[in-house]
Amino acid sequence: MMNNGRYYVFFSAVLASLPCLAGDTLRLPTLQEGEWTMSTVAITSDGQTFRTPESAIACMQPTRNMQRDLAQFEKRGCKTVPVSSADTEVRFTVSCPARRGIEDMNVTLTVPNPSSYRQFIVSPLGTNELKARRLGPCKAEVKQHFDRHLDD
């Protein structure tokens, strides 16, 4: 699972809208830019558990991060398919080509407010739960650096 961690990491931020197969757009709640803290619990398909304790992330713009990561998956031929959408919870599937055909990642994203979210992913690799919350605004000096590198 550690080699395939990118599947899980790309969901570490939230996107305001995801491209879908039929050209529809799945609207997700928007999260605020700022300093965030995150923790994860991953359980591999063979039952191994990996925990990442809560740790602070420097200035981050979740929507922008997710857009960049989804673009990388799209280049690999992955498709995003909406399942359901409500005010605080969105479910979707990301289908990606793999050696054994197509592998699906079923994602449930719960966003109770613009400053926190929970993401739960089920895939052939196992499950992954990520919890994140915003600590506050970006520090000025960090934000300057962050803004310069947003499009890297």
Side-chain angles (χ1 to χ4, degrees):
M1 185 197 85
M2 294 313 229
N3 292 335
N4 295 309
R6 182 85 171 125
Y7 274 57
Y8 295 119
V9 172
F10 94 100
F11 286 107
S12 65
V14 178
L15 166 72
S17 63
L18 292 168
C20 299
L21 285 175
D24 296 333
T25 300
L26 177 63
R27 296 280 174 204
L28 299 179
T30 302
L31 293 170
Q32 298 175 339
E33 174 185 289
E35 292 189 26
W36 284 76
T37 182
M38 297 181 182
S39 64
T40 61
V41 175
I43 302 173
T44 64
S45 57
D46 64 1
Q48 295 181 28
T49 300
F50 297 92
R51 295 180 190 279
T52 304
E54 187 172 57
S55 59
I57 307 294
C59 186
M60 143 173 144
Q61 191 176 40
T63 301
R64 197 76 167 275
N65 293 356
M66 180 64 104
Q67 289 169 332
R68 183 174 40 230
D69 290 337
L70 281 174
Q72 291 299 317
F73 274 86
E74 189 175 294
K75 286 180 185 176
R76 290 184 32 213
C78 298
K79 304 289 182 201
T80 302
V81 181
V83 175
S84 66
S85 182
D87 289 341
T88 61
E89 183 178 275
V90 177
R91 292 174 188 236
F92 57 95
T93 298
V94 178
S95 298
C96 294
R99 285 185 209 142
R100 297 169 288 195
I102 300 294
E103 287 189 356
D104 290 340
M105 293 178 283
N106 298 304
V107 181
T108 300
L109 182 63
T110 306
V111 182
N113 60 62
S115 296
S116 68
Y117 68 96
R118 175 189 174 266
Q119 160 200 296
F120 191 74
I121 302 170
V122 177
S123 80
L125 301 173
T127 63
N128 185 59
E129 179 181 37
L130 180 143
K131 293 180 182 179
R133 64 184 171 87
R134 185 174 181 267
L135 299 173
C138 298
K139 294 181 174 78
E141 65 278 4
V142 173
K143 179 149 175 48
Q144 276 184 332
H145 176 77
F146 172 72
D147 287 342
R148 281 195 308 270
H149 298 325
L150 256 180
D151 295 319
D152 289 349

